[in-house]
Amino acid sequence: MEVSDKVTIQVRYFAGARAASGVDEELLALPAGSTVTDASVAMTERHGEKLGGVLTACSFLLDGIAVRVLATRLSDGGQLDVLPPFAGG
């Protein structure tokens, strides 16, 4: 059995996060054991401080489940949805 030293996740951006990143979705490769916080840092490094500012207000879904603790570890092949606050009216 081969043990990977990285995890690759699909990141999907919505609303203001999509506008700040400039993409709808992307694959993000991170070291094994990475967390949602680590993914957020990597997204900011890739797309800049405009996205970094948006991420501070975002909530996340990991494989369709709301992330309550940003130290939650990512699984290889997982899907992370980035959801900025939505305004309605």
Side-chain angles (χ1 to χ4, degrees), residues 17-50:
R18 178 185 299 142
S21 69
V23 297
D24 291 340
E25 60 184 60
E26 65 185 338
L27 292 177
L28 192 61
L30 299 161
S34 289
T35 65
V36 174
T37 297
D38 297 324
S40 181
V41 168
M43 288 182 264
T44 300
E45 289 172 353
R46 181 176 285 183
H47 297 289
E49 287 305 315
K50 183 176 179 184

Side-chain angles (χ1 to χ4, degrees), residues 40-75:
S40 181
V41 168
M43 288 182 264
T44 300
E45 289 172 353
R46 181 176 285 183
H47 297 289
E49 287 305 315
K50 183 176 179 184
L51 179 60
V54 171
L55 291 175
T56 62
C58 286
S59 57
F60 299 92
L61 296 178
L62 184 57
D63 296 327
I65 299 171
V67 174
R68 303 282 182 224
V69 178
L70 296 180
T72 300
R73 287 191 175 198
L74 303 169
S75 298

